[in-house]
Amino acid sequence: DHLIQRTFEALVGAKRAIVHIYNSNSPTFRKKVLNVDVEGARALAINAAIKVKEYAAQYPETEWVFQYSPECFSATELEVAKAACDGVTEIWDARPDKKVILNLPATVEVSTPNVYADQIEWFCRTMKNRDCAIISLHAHNDRGAAVAATEMALMAGADRVEGTLFGNGERTGNVDIVTLALNMFTQGVDPQLNFS
């Protein structure tokens, strides 16, 4: 709670801000790190979402955009990740004109690009109120396939990409936005990335 409070205090005066919260729902994190069951992991997400909503209401001069990530999405049972995301979007009153961002990471890149794309496609088809969410990708590069995983996941229904220029980032890096954007250009797709 204190981290959420400090986040909002740090953003006082901002015209528009994205507030991002996350927790892992994967079996390994539930058992080894958080010591909770599936419902306990979901409760962490719900409780944080409630706090974010409460603090945002205290600062009405800022246009708030909320983002939630079921960290380790690619290593989490899809139904478990979906339940957490559906719960959070409900708390945040997501609507088509007030979308939330759901960031679905390929943490530690535990699978091949086609599996990640399949997970994204399933999620997009089965989540509640798909028109109220922006599905965001966050591919790591542990297997060296972050660009491929991101390209396939975009084709599977995702809307947005988080990454870093030239792939610098956590551990083995995040998806290389420059390579990804140039690949999209070669396929006739404007990635809307300003290279200037």
Side-chain angles (χ1 to χ4, degrees), residues 146-193:
V147 170
T150 301
E151 288 179 352
M152 292 186 76
L154 284 168
M155 290 187 285
D159 307 303
R160 177 178 184 264
V161 175
E162 294 183 9
T164 58
L165 297 177
F166 308 113
N168 297 316
E170 306 146 283
R171 294 181 328 276
T172 56
N174 299 110
V175 68
D176 176 354
I177 293 289
V178 173
T179 300
L180 180 66
L182 291 173
N183 285 0
M184 292 174 77
F185 270 128
T186 68
Q187 300 303 307
V189 176
D190 180 0
Q192 300 176 17
L193 183 65

mmCIF file of all heavy atoms in Angstrom, residues 146-193:
data_model
loop_
_atom_site.group_PDB
_atom_site.id
_atom_site.type_symbol
_atom_site.label_atom_id
_atom_site.label_comp_id
_atom_site.label_asym_id
_atom_site.label_seq_id
_atom_site.Cartn_x
_atom_site.Cartn_y
_atom_site.Cartn_z
ATOM 1 N N ALA A 146 12.642 -12.682 -28.790
ATOM 2 C CA ALA A 146 11.663 -11.675 -28.356
ATOM 3 C C ALA A 146 11.003 -10.958 -29.526
ATOM 4 O O ALA A 146 9.803 -10.686 -29.493
ATOM 5 C CB ALA A 146 12.323 -10.663 -27.418
ATOM 6 N N VAL A 147 11.763 -10.652 -30.574
ATOM 7 C CA VAL A 147 11.172 -9.975 -31.731
ATOM 8 C C VAL A 147 10.151 -10.889 -32.402
ATOM 9 O O VAL A 147 9.026 -10.476 -32.701
ATOM 10 C CB VAL A 147 12.259 -9.508 -32.731
ATOM 11 C CG1 VAL A 147 11.638 -9.038 -34.039
ATOM 12 C CG2 VAL A 147 13.096 -8.383 -32.108
ATOM 13 N N ALA A 148 10.520 -12.140 -32.622
ATOM 14 C CA ALA A 148 9.588 -13.091 -33.249
ATOM 15 C C ALA A 148 8.350 -13.291 -32.384
ATOM 16 O O ALA A 148 7.219 -13.314 -32.889
ATOM 17 C CB ALA A 148 10.286 -14.425 -33.500
ATOM 18 N N ALA A 149 8.546 -13.427 -31.077
ATOM 19 C CA ALA A 149 7.406 -13.621 -30.174
ATOM 20 C C ALA A 149 6.477 -12.419 -30.217
ATOM 21 O O ALA A 149 5.245 -12.570 -30.246
ATOM 22 C CB ALA A 149 7.908 -13.857 -28.747
ATOM 23 N N THR A 150 7.046 -11.237 -30.260
ATOM 24 C CA THR A 150 6.230 -10.022 -30.290
ATOM 25 C C THR A 150 5.486 -9.891 -31.603
ATOM 26 O O THR A 150 4.286 -9.567 -31.622
ATOM 27 C CB THR A 150 7.107 -8.784 -30.032
ATOM 28 O OG1 THR A 150 7.738 -8.939 -28.746
ATOM 29 C CG2 THR A 150 6.299 -7.513 -30.053
ATOM 30 N N GLU A 151 6.165 -10.141 -32.723
ATOM 31 C CA GLU A 151 5.490 -10.071 -34.019
ATOM 32 C C GLU A 151 4.322 -11.045 -34.081
ATOM 33 O O GLU A 151 3.225 -10.694 -34.530
ATOM 34 C CB GLU A 151 6.477 -10.358 -35.149
ATOM 35 C CG GLU A 151 7.470 -9.237 -35.385
ATOM 36 C CD GLU A 151 8.463 -9.541 -36.489
ATOM 37 O OE1 GLU A 151 8.508 -10.694 -36.991
ATOM 38 O OE2 GLU A 151 9.212 -8.631 -36.865
ATOM 39 N N MET A 152 4.538 -12.262 -33.621
ATOM 40 C CA MET A 152 3.462 -13.258 -33.665
ATOM 41 C C MET A 152 2.328 -12.890 -32.716
ATOM 42 O O MET A 152 1.148 -13.081 -33.046
ATOM 43 C CB MET A 152 4.019 -14.646 -33.338
ATOM 44 C CG MET A 152 4.956 -15.170 -34.418
ATOM 45 S SD MET A 152 5.473 -16.860 -34.123
ATOM 46 C CE MET A 152 3.983 -17.733 -34.605
ATOM 47 N N ALA A 153 2.662 -12.358 -31.546
ATOM 48 C CA ALA A 153 1.626 -11.985 -30.580
ATOM 49 C C ALA A 153 0.814 -10.785 -31.066
ATOM 50 O O ALA A 153 -0.377 -10.689 -30.778
ATOM 51 C CB ALA A 153 2.256 -11.709 -29.219
ATOM 52 N N LEU A 154 1.432 -9.883 -31.812
ATOM 53 C CA LEU A 154 0.670 -8.793 -32.426
ATOM 54 C C LEU A 154 -0.333 -9.350 -33.435
ATOM 55 O O LEU A 154 -1.487 -8.925 -33.478
ATOM 56 C CB LEU A 154 1.606 -7.795 -33.109
ATOM 57 C CG LEU A 154 2.362 -6.838 -32.199
ATOM 58 C CD1 LEU A 154 3.453 -6.109 -32.966
ATOM 59 C CD2 LEU A 154 1.401 -5.848 -31.536
ATOM 60 N N MET A 155 0.109 -10.310 -34.236
ATOM 61 C CA MET A 155 -0.806 -10.936 -35.203
ATOM 62 C C MET A 155 -1.906 -11.723 -34.496
ATOM 63 O O MET A 155 -2.986 -11.920 -35.044
ATOM 64 C CB MET A 155 -0.028 -11.842 -36.156
ATOM 65 C CG MET A 155 0.845 -11.066 -37.123
ATOM 66 S SD MET A 155 1.611 -12.095 -38.398
ATOM 67 C CE MET A 155 2.899 -12.902 -37.464
ATOM 68 N N ALA A 156 -1.644 -12.136 -33.252
ATOM 69 C CA ALA A 156 -2.621 -12.915 -32.491
ATOM 70 C C ALA A 156 -3.646 -12.034 -31.783
ATOM 71 O O ALA A 156 -4.572 -12.557 -31.162
ATOM 72 C CB ALA A 156 -1.898 -13.793 -31.471
ATOM 73 N N GLY A 157 -3.477 -10.698 -31.868
ATOM 74 C CA GLY A 157 -4.512 -9.836 -31.317
ATOM 75 C C GLY A 157 -4.068 -8.759 -30.351
ATOM 76 O O GLY A 157 -4.892 -7.971 -29.893
ATOM 77 N N ALA A 158 -2.798 -8.683 -30.015
ATOM 78 C CA ALA A 158 -2.332 -7.651 -29.085
ATOM 79 C C ALA A 158 -2.362 -6.273 -29.745
ATOM 80 O O ALA A 158 -2.352 -6.162 -30.973
ATOM 81 C CB ALA A 158 -0.927 -7.972 -28.592
ATOM 82 N N ASP A 159 -2.378 -5.227 -28.912
ATOM 83 C CA ASP A 159 -2.535 -3.859 -29.393
ATOM 84 C C ASP A 159 -1.294 -2.989 -29.222
ATOM 85 O O ASP A 159 -1.180 -1.952 -29.863
ATOM 86 C CB ASP A 159 -3.663 -3.149 -28.603
ATOM 87 C CG ASP A 159 -4.955 -3.917 -28.616
ATOM 88 O OD1 ASP A 159 -5.457 -4.187 -29.717
ATOM 89 O OD2 ASP A 159 -5.452 -4.248 -27.528
ATOM 90 N N ARG A 160 -0.410 -3.364 -28.332
ATOM 91 C CA ARG A 160 0.637 -2.444 -27.887
ATOM 92 C C ARG A 160 1.874 -3.254 -27.533
ATOM 93 O O ARG A 160 1.772 -4.412 -27.153
ATOM 94 C CB ARG A 160 0.094 -1.706 -26.657
ATOM 95 C CG ARG A 160 0.987 -0.740 -25.961
ATOM 96 C CD ARG A 160 0.177 -0.097 -24.797
ATOM 97 N NE ARG A 160 0.910 0.910 -24.109
ATOM 98 C CZ ARG A 160 1.601 0.717 -22.994
ATOM 99 N NH1 ARG A 160 1.663 -0.478 -22.436
ATOM 100 N NH2 ARG A 160 2.236 1.712 -22.419
ATOM 101 N N VAL A 161 3.046 -2.609 -27.621
ATOM 102 C CA VAL A 161 4.305 -3.285 -27.299
ATOM 103 C C VAL A 161 5.094 -2.433 -26.315
ATOM 104 O O VAL A 161 5.206 -1.220 -26.480
ATOM 105 C CB VAL A 161 5.156 -3.515 -28.566
ATOM 106 C CG1 VAL A 161 6.508 -4.112 -28.213
ATOM 107 C CG2 VAL A 161 4.418 -4.401 -29.549
ATOM 108 N N GLU A 162 5.645 -3.076 -25.313
ATOM 109 C CA GLU A 162 6.614 -2.443 -24.429
ATOM 110 C C GLU A 162 7.955 -3.102 -24.698
ATOM 111 O O GLU A 162 8.044 -4.314 -24.808
ATOM 112 C CB GLU A 162 6.228 -2.641 -22.965
ATOM 113 C CG GLU A 162 4.952 -1.925 -22.597
ATOM 114 C CD GLU A 162 4.600 -2.057 -21.128
ATOM 115 O OE1 GLU A 162 5.435 -2.556 -20.338
ATOM 116 O OE2 GLU A 162 3.489 -1.657 -20.777
ATOM 117 N N GLY A 163 8.976 -2.299 -24.816
ATOM 118 C CA GLY A 163 10.300 -2.833 -25.076
ATOM 119 C C GLY A 163 11.340 -1.757 -24.866
ATOM 120 O O GLY A 163 11.051 -0.711 -24.284
ATOM 121 N N THR A 164 12.527 -2.008 -25.356
ATOM 122 C CA THR A 164 13.610 -1.048 -25.199
ATOM 123 C C THR A 164 14.338 -0.879 -26.524
ATOM 124 O O THR A 164 14.328 -1.772 -27.369
ATOM 125 C CB THR A 164 14.622 -1.519 -24.126
ATOM 126 O OG1 THR A 164 15.126 -2.796 -24.502
ATOM 127 C CG2 THR A 164 13.978 -1.601 -22.763
ATOM 128 N N LEU A 165 14.955 0.286 -26.694
ATOM 129 C CA LEU A 165 15.745 0.515 -27.896
ATOM 130 C C LEU A 165 16.931 -0.442 -27.900
ATOM 131 O O LEU A 165 17.657 -0.548 -26.913
ATOM 132 C CB LEU A 165 16.229 1.960 -27.956
ATOM 133 C CG LEU A 165 15.137 3.021 -28.051
ATOM 134 C CD1 LEU A 165 15.743 4.411 -28.024
ATOM 135 C CD2 LEU A 165 14.293 2.828 -29.302
ATOM 136 N N PHE A 166 17.099 -1.160 -28.963
ATOM 137 C CA PHE A 166 18.202 -2.095 -29.171
ATOM 138 C C PHE A 166 18.207 -3.263 -28.176
ATOM 139 O O PHE A 166 19.205 -3.947 -28.037
ATOM 140 C CB PHE A 166 19.551 -1.356 -29.158
ATOM 141 C CG PHE A 166 19.569 -0.202 -30.108
ATOM 142 C CD1 PHE A 166 19.645 1.103 -29.646
ATOM 143 C CD2 PHE A 166 19.461 -0.410 -31.483
ATOM 144 C CE1 PHE A 166 19.620 2.181 -30.522
ATOM 145 C CE2 PHE A 166 19.434 0.669 -32.371
ATOM 146 C CZ PHE A 166 19.524 1.957 -31.884
ATOM 147 N N GLY A 167 17.108 -3.479 -27.491
ATOM 148 C CA GLY A 167 16.971 -4.661 -26.647
ATOM 149 C C GLY A 167 17.618 -4.601 -25.287
ATOM 150 O O GLY A 167 17.641 -5.592 -24.563
ATOM 151 N N ASN A 168 18.172 -3.454 -24.895
ATOM 152 C CA ASN A 168 18.743 -3.351 -23.549
ATOM 153 C C ASN A 168 17.618 -3.467 -22.540
ATOM 154 O O ASN A 168 16.509 -3.027 -22.767
ATOM 155 C CB ASN A 168 19.469 -2.017 -23.374
ATOM 156 C CG ASN A 168 20.635 -1.887 -24.319
ATOM 157 O OD1 ASN A 168 21.398 -2.823 -24.484
ATOM 158 N ND2 ASN A 168 20.749 -0.740 -24.955
ATOM 159 N N GLY A 169 17.908 -4.063 -21.393
ATOM 160 C CA GLY A 169 16.858 -4.178 -20.388
ATOM 161 C C GLY A 169 17.157 -5.277 -19.402
ATOM 162 O O GLY A 169 18.300 -5.681 -19.223
ATOM 163 N N GLU A 170 16.118 -5.764 -18.782
ATOM 164 C CA GLU A 170 16.257 -6.757 -17.721
ATOM 165 C C GLU A 170 16.977 -8.020 -18.194
ATOM 166 O O GLU A 170 16.759 -8.475 -19.306
ATOM 167 C CB GLU A 170 14.869 -7.152 -17.194
ATOM 168 C CG GLU A 170 14.045 -5.954 -16.755
ATOM 169 C CD GLU A 170 12.573 -6.158 -17.036
ATOM 170 O OE1 GLU A 170 12.181 -6.026 -18.200
ATOM 171 O OE2 GLU A 170 11.837 -6.448 -16.077
ATOM 172 N N ARG A 171 17.809 -8.571 -17.347
ATOM 173 C CA ARG A 171 18.523 -9.826 -17.593
ATOM 174 C C ARG A 171 19.097 -9.895 -19.005
ATOM 175 O O ARG A 171 20.060 -9.228 -19.326
ATOM 176 C CB ARG A 171 17.598 -11.022 -17.339
ATOM 177 C CG ARG A 171 17.166 -11.204 -15.921
ATOM 178 C CD ARG A 171 16.265 -12.428 -15.756
ATOM 179 N NE ARG A 171 15.435 -12.722 -16.896
ATOM 180 C CZ ARG A 171 14.254 -12.148 -17.144
ATOM 181 N NH1 ARG A 171 13.766 -11.251 -16.313
ATOM 182 N NH2 ARG A 171 13.560 -12.470 -18.212
ATOM 183 N N THR A 172 18.475 -10.684 -19.855
ATOM 184 C CA THR A 172 18.965 -10.861 -21.224
ATOM 185 C C THR A 172 18.374 -9.837 -22.170
ATOM 186 O O THR A 172 18.622 -9.885 -23.362
ATOM 187 C CB THR A 172 18.589 -12.259 -21.736
ATOM 188 O OG1 THR A 172 17.172 -12.399 -21.629
ATOM 189 C CG2 THR A 172 19.272 -13.326 -20.935
ATOM 190 N N GLY A 173 17.575 -8.934 -21.663
ATOM 191 C CA GLY A 173 17.011 -7.866 -22.472
ATOM 192 C C GLY A 173 15.536 -8.035 -22.748
ATOM 193 O O GLY A 173 14.947 -9.086 -22.517
ATOM 194 N N ASN A 174 14.958 -6.943 -23.208
ATOM 195 C CA ASN A 174 13.566 -6.916 -23.627
ATOM 196 C C ASN A 174 13.534 -6.886 -25.146
ATOM 197 O O ASN A 174 14.571 -6.794 -25.792
ATOM 198 C CB ASN A 174 12.874 -5.667 -23.067
ATOM 199 C CG ASN A 174 12.894 -5.639 -21.555
ATOM 200 O OD1 ASN A 174 13.570 -4.833 -20.952
ATOM 201 N ND2 ASN A 174 12.147 -6.531 -20.934
ATOM 202 N N VAL A 175 12.340 -6.922 -25.696
ATOM 203 C CA VAL A 175 12.244 -6.886 -27.155
ATOM 204 C C VAL A 175 12.897 -5.598 -27.676
ATOM 205 O O VAL A 175 12.757 -4.527 -27.083
ATOM 206 C CB VAL A 175 10.784 -7.010 -27.640
ATOM 207 C CG1 VAL A 175 9.954 -5.786 -27.272
ATOM 208 C CG2 VAL A 175 10.738 -7.262 -29.130
ATOM 209 N N ASP A 176 13.613 -5.737 -28.749
ATOM 210 C CA ASP A 176 14.302 -4.611 -29.394
ATOM 211 C C ASP A 176 13.279 -3.870 -30.255
ATOM 212 O O ASP A 176 12.890 -4.337 -31.325
ATOM 213 C CB ASP A 176 15.457 -5.148 -30.234
ATOM 214 C CG ASP A 176 16.187 -4.071 -31.024
ATOM 215 O OD1 ASP A 176 15.743 -2.909 -31.026
ATOM 216 O OD2 ASP A 176 17.193 -4.418 -31.661
ATOM 217 N N ILE A 177 12.855 -2.701 -29.781
ATOM 218 C CA ILE A 177 11.839 -1.914 -30.474
ATOM 219 C C ILE A 177 12.310 -1.476 -31.861
ATOM 220 O O ILE A 177 11.522 -1.401 -32.803
ATOM 221 C CB ILE A 177 11.443 -0.678 -29.622
ATOM 222 C CG1 ILE A 177 10.734 -1.122 -28.345
ATOM 223 C CG2 ILE A 177 10.590 0.292 -30.402
ATOM 224 C CD1 ILE A 177 9.346 -1.664 -28.549
ATOM 225 N N VAL A 178 13.598 -1.177 -31.999
ATOM 226 C CA VAL A 178 14.120 -0.719 -33.280
ATOM 227 C C VAL A 178 14.001 -1.826 -34.325
ATOM 228 O O VAL A 178 13.467 -1.624 -35.416
ATOM 229 C CB VAL A 178 15.573 -0.213 -33.146
ATOM 230 C CG1 VAL A 178 16.165 0.106 -34.507
ATOM 231 C CG2 VAL A 178 15.618 1.010 -32.234
ATOM 232 N N THR A 179 14.476 -3.021 -33.990
ATOM 233 C CA THR A 179 14.380 -4.146 -34.924
ATOM 234 C C THR A 179 12.921 -4.465 -35.229
ATOM 235 O O THR A 179 12.550 -4.686 -36.387
ATOM 236 C CB THR A 179 15.103 -5.386 -34.371
ATOM 237 O OG1 THR A 179 16.479 -5.059 -34.178
ATOM 238 C CG2 THR A 179 14.976 -6.570 -35.309
ATOM 239 N N LEU A 180 12.104 -4.498 -34.199
ATOM 240 C CA LEU A 180 10.683 -4.779 -34.378
ATOM 241 C C LEU A 180 10.041 -3.761 -35.323
ATOM 242 O O LEU A 180 9.328 -4.138 -36.256
ATOM 243 C CB LEU A 180 9.975 -4.775 -33.026
ATOM 244 C CG LEU A 180 8.477 -5.045 -33.038
ATOM 245 C CD1 LEU A 180 8.178 -6.463 -33.483
ATOM 246 C CD2 LEU A 180 7.892 -4.787 -31.659
ATOM 247 N N ALA A 181 10.314 -2.474 -35.099
ATOM 248 C CA ALA A 181 9.722 -1.430 -35.932
ATOM 249 C C ALA A 181 10.201 -1.540 -37.374
ATOM 250 O O ALA A 181 9.404 -1.417 -38.312
ATOM 251 C CB ALA A 181 10.054 -0.054 -35.363
ATOM 252 N N LEU A 182 11.491 -1.777 -37.572
ATOM 253 C CA LEU A 182 12.011 -1.908 -38.930
ATOM 254 C C LEU A 182 11.423 -3.133 -39.632
ATOM 255 O O LEU A 182 11.110 -3.087 -40.823
ATOM 256 C CB LEU A 182 13.541 -1.951 -38.914
ATOM 257 C CG LEU A 182 14.205 -0.628 -38.518
ATOM 258 C CD1 LEU A 182 15.706 -0.813 -38.358
ATOM 259 C CD2 LEU A 182 13.903 0.467 -39.524
ATOM 260 N N ASN A 183 11.258 -4.230 -38.896
ATOM 261 C CA ASN A 183 10.605 -5.409 -39.473
ATOM 262 C C ASN A 183 9.186 -5.076 -39.919
ATOM 263 O O ASN A 183 8.744 -5.505 -40.987
ATOM 264 C CB ASN A 183 10.559 -6.562 -38.470
ATOM 265 C CG ASN A 183 11.894 -7.248 -38.277
ATOM 266 O OD1 ASN A 183 12.893 -6.882 -38.895
ATOM 267 N ND2 ASN A 183 11.913 -8.239 -37.417
ATOM 268 N N MET A 184 8.462 -4.318 -39.108
ATOM 269 C CA MET A 184 7.095 -3.950 -39.453
ATOM 270 C C MET A 184 7.080 -3.073 -40.708
ATOM 271 O O MET A 184 6.245 -3.266 -41.587
ATOM 272 C CB MET A 184 6.417 -3.262 -38.268
ATOM 273 C CG MET A 184 6.176 -4.211 -37.097
ATOM 274 S SD MET A 184 5.539 -3.392 -35.631
ATOM 275 C CE MET A 184 3.822 -3.176 -36.127
ATOM 276 N N PHE A 185 8.024 -2.118 -40.789
ATOM 277 C CA PHE A 185 8.124 -1.278 -41.983
ATOM 278 C C PHE A 185 8.305 -2.126 -43.234
ATOM 279 O O PHE A 185 7.698 -1.859 -44.272
ATOM 280 C CB PHE A 185 9.301 -0.301 -41.865
ATOM 281 C CG PHE A 185 8.948 1.017 -41.241
ATOM 282 C CD1 PHE A 185 9.684 1.495 -40.173
ATOM 283 C CD2 PHE A 185 7.908 1.796 -41.733
ATOM 284 C CE1 PHE A 185 9.382 2.717 -39.590
ATOM 285 C CE2 PHE A 185 7.598 3.023 -41.155
ATOM 286 C CZ PHE A 185 8.340 3.479 -40.083
ATOM 287 N N THR A 186 9.142 -3.169 -43.145
ATOM 288 C CA THR A 186 9.385 -4.003 -44.330
ATOM 289 C C THR A 186 8.144 -4.765 -44.768
ATOM 290 O O THR A 186 8.068 -5.215 -45.909
ATOM 291 C CB THR A 186 10.524 -5.016 -44.097
ATOM 292 O OG1 THR A 186 10.111 -5.995 -43.135
ATOM 293 C CG2 THR A 186 11.811 -4.342 -43.658
ATOM 294 N N GLN A 187 7.195 -4.904 -43.870
ATOM 295 C CA GLN A 187 5.949 -5.609 -44.185
ATOM 296 C C GLN A 187 4.815 -4.647 -44.499
ATOM 297 O O GLN A 187 3.652 -5.043 -44.569
ATOM 298 C CB GLN A 187 5.559 -6.531 -43.024
ATOM 299 C CG GLN A 187 6.594 -7.592 -42.697
ATOM 300 C CD GLN A 187 6.913 -8.454 -43.907
ATOM 301 O OE1 GLN A 187 6.023 -9.011 -44.535
ATOM 302 N NE2 GLN A 187 8.191 -8.541 -44.257
ATOM 303 N N GLY A 188 5.139 -3.357 -44.619
ATOM 304 C CA GLY A 188 4.131 -2.370 -44.979
ATOM 305 C C GLY A 188 3.262 -1.910 -43.821
ATOM 306 O O GLY A 188 2.197 -1.366 -44.032
ATOM 307 N N VAL A 189 3.729 -2.133 -42.602
ATOM 308 C CA VAL A 189 2.968 -1.729 -41.414
ATOM 309 C C VAL A 189 3.708 -0.566 -40.758
ATOM 310 O O VAL A 189 4.909 -0.656 -40.487
ATOM 311 C CB VAL A 189 2.841 -2.890 -40.399
ATOM 312 C CG1 VAL A 189 2.130 -2.441 -39.139
ATOM 313 C CG2 VAL A 189 2.130 -4.074 -41.044
ATOM 314 N N ASP A 190 3.005 0.536 -40.510
ATOM 315 C CA ASP A 190 3.595 1.668 -39.817
ATOM 316 C C ASP A 190 3.566 1.386 -38.316
ATOM 317 O O ASP A 190 2.507 1.330 -37.705
ATOM 318 C CB ASP A 190 2.806 2.944 -40.115
ATOM 319 C CG ASP A 190 3.384 4.164 -39.422
ATOM 320 O OD1 ASP A 190 4.412 4.050 -38.698
ATOM 321 O OD2 ASP A 190 2.821 5.254 -39.607
ATOM 322 N N PRO A 191 4.729 1.212 -37.694
ATOM 323 C CA PRO A 191 4.752 0.887 -36.273
ATOM 324 C C PRO A 191 4.483 2.092 -35.374
ATOM 325 O O PRO A 191 4.413 1.962 -34.153
ATOM 326 C CB PRO A 191 6.166 0.375 -36.054
ATOM 327 C CG PRO A 191 6.981 1.095 -37.068
ATOM 328 C CD PRO A 191 6.072 1.227 -38.269
ATOM 329 N N GLN A 192 4.329 3.268 -35.974
ATOM 330 C CA GLN A 192 4.056 4.497 -35.241
ATOM 331 C C GLN A 192 5.145 4.795 -34.228
ATOM 332 O O GLN A 192 4.884 5.304 -33.145
ATOM 333 C CB GLN A 192 2.673 4.435 -34.571
ATOM 334 C CG GLN A 192 1.556 4.247 -35.567
ATOM 335 C CD GLN A 192 0.207 4.085 -34.929
ATOM 336 O OE1 GLN A 192 0.013 4.416 -33.768
ATOM 337 N NE2 GLN A 192 -0.744 3.576 -35.695
ATOM 338 N N LEU A 193 6.386 4.489 -34.589
ATOM 339 C CA LEU A 193 7.531 4.801 -33.750
ATOM 340 C C LEU A 193 8.298 5.933 -34.409
ATOM 341 O O LEU A 193 8.695 5.828 -35.575
ATOM 342 C CB LEU A 193 8.442 3.576 -33.603
ATOM 343 C CG LEU A 193 9.646 3.753 -32.688
ATOM 344 C CD1 LEU A 193 9.210 3.979 -31.254
ATOM 345 C CD2 LEU A 193 10.542 2.518 -32.751
#
